[in-house]
Amino acid sequence: MDISRLIRRMPAVLLVLLISSAAVFAGPQAEGGSQDVLMQRIEDGKTIRIGFANEVPWAYPGDNQDPLGFVNQITLDILESMGYTNIEPVVTEWGGLIPGLKANRFDIITGGMYILPSRAENINFSEPIGVFGESFIVPAGNPEGIESYDDIRESGVTMVTGSGYSSVEHAKTVGIPDENVITVPGNSEILAAVRSGRAYAGAGTYFSSLYLAEESNGDVEVTDPRKNPDWTFNWAGIGFRKSDTEFLQAFNEALAEYMGSPEMMENVAEYGYTESQLPGDITTEEVVQRLE
């Protein structure tokens, strides 16, 4: 049978239906037969795009957008051990990290993100890369005596934190009224709000708070993270798309070999990461279950 002559004689509607059906069945093959987007990018010779915000010392851009910070260092070391060095940094605001990953604007979140159930619903996390406490920057001398989330609730002072930070959820948990919580894009805005008196306490990780205190030239000081309850301590992970399960499994295997190794501790020392931040034996699944 002459197929080309048959096609020319087909009614237009039937021809459209035939083409549409073929496209549906061809879909998976057109994507290389894999739902793992990152592995497909690598096979196509494309870069691995790491997404992070300006969060010193976790992950931040240096000259020419070079990826700096201990989470970027951990990620780059692991990727190199896996044989991947074609890396492209993508800098965005903190609140754009998860939306950007889901929209395929980058492939891995290296921003130093806490493993929270609400986030785990949207992305997959690597196994934990560290455990960290939260603290506040407050005016030098801390005249209001603010040391914890409970203190903020009871005193009625205004707290500022970053949009999408875990401290937003912690404030809700302890009953701090929404009108007493200001959210801003990131750390520099947190410092500006406390300096100007717009807010009394700036909530964030202990590492980030130390950095802001250093930047303030003595205008603010840092509270002791141990004054907050145990449930405010968080394990951080590296974020992946829900579809990238094959790559994540390989990444976790390399992470297990790397975590706590002499190479790691030497490479992250300049950013203030010490053995006290090592995550221990807890898994990401266990972290999520503890917080649910």
Side-chain angles (χ1 to χ4, degrees):
M1 179 182 294
D2 189 337
I3 299 297
S4 62
R5 181 179 301 174
L6 177 61
I7 291 175
R8 287 196 299 270
R9 291 181 179 178
M10 279 184 179
V13 173
L14 180 58
L15 184 58
V16 169
L17 290 174
L18 180 62
I19 293 172
S20 299
S21 300
V24 170
F25 286 109
Q29 284 73 25
E31 296 178 356
S34 172
Q35 295 300 311
D36 194 320
V37 177
L38 183 47
M39 288 302 298
Q40 189 64 57
R41 282 184 59 84
I42 293 170
E43 291 172 7
D44 292 341
K46 297 179 180 179
T47 59
I48 297 176
R49 301 163 299 175
I50 57 174
F52 54 94
N54 190 2
E55 298 285 335
V56 181
W58 301 73
Y60 58 98
D63 296 337
N64 301 315
Q65 303 292 293
D66 289 341
L68 303 178
F70 68 84
V71 185
N72 275 332
Q73 186 66 57
I74 290 171
T75 305
L76 294 174
D77 285 349
I78 293 172
L79 291 175
E80 183 176 2
S81 74
M82 297 169 68
Y84 304 128
T85 57
N86 189 14
I87 311 299
E88 176 186 351
V90 181
V91 182
T92 187
E93 290 186 352
W94 179 267
L97 287 173
I98 289 179
L101 181 67
K102 295 178 70 174
N104 293 331
R105 288 193 287 272
F106 40 83
D107 306 300
I108 302 175
I109 293 176
T110 62
M113 189 166 281
Y114 286 160
I115 301 167
L116 301 176
S118 58
R119 292 172 178 165
E121 291 177 359
N122 291 283
I123 65 174
N124 281 339
F125 281 100
S126 70
E127 296 299 349
I129 61 168
V131 59
F132 308 93
E134 291 188 356
S135 61
F136 307 97
I137 58 168
V138 295
N142 194 6
E144 296 289 341
I146 298 300
E147 297 281 354
S148 68
Y149 284 104
D150 288 337
D151 291 342
I152 292 175
R153 182 195 65 239
E154 293 170 7
S155 67
V157 301
T158 299
M159 179 189 106
V160 61
T161 190
S163 176
Y165 284 19
S166 60
S167 43
V168 175
E169 293 187 18
H170 292 167
K172 290 182 182 296
T173 299
V174 300
I176 297 174
D178 290 344
E179 58 267 25
N180 288 354
V181 179
I182 301 171
T183 57
V184 294
N187 282 333
S188 60
E189 291 83 3
I190 291 174
L191 177 58
V194 175
R195 267 178 155 171
S196 68
R198 185 177 170 216
Y200 181 84
T205 67
Y206 181 60
F207 275 170
S208 297
S209 296
L210 285 177
Y211 171 76
L212 293 180
E214 292 174 2
E215 291 289 298
S216 77
N217 295 318
D219 290 344
V220 305
E221 63 184 58
V222 181
T223 63
D224 185 345
R226 292 171 295 183
K227 299 294 185 179
N228 277 314
D230 290 343
W231 56 262
T232 62
F233 282 76
N234 292 275
W235 286 263
I238 297 165
F240 294 82
R241 280 182 292 260
K242 286 287 188 179
S243 62
D244 291 333
T245 54
E246 179 184 351
F247 189 92
L248 176 56
Q249 180 179 352
F251 186 92
N252 277 332
E253 291 173 358
L255 174 61
E257 295 290 327
Y258 176 81
M259 185 56 56
S261 66
E263 176 193 3
M264 172 186 166
M265 301 314 298
E266 179 181 352
N267 289 350
V268 299
E270 66 176 289
Y271 300 111
Y273 188 110
T274 68
E275 290 186 355
S276 63
Q277 279 81 50
L278 288 172
D281 296 330
I282 193 168
T283 67
T284 291
E285 182 179 1
E286 290 168 344
V287 171
V288 172
Q289 289 174 349
R290 283 172 59 125
L291 298 173
E292 285 180 334

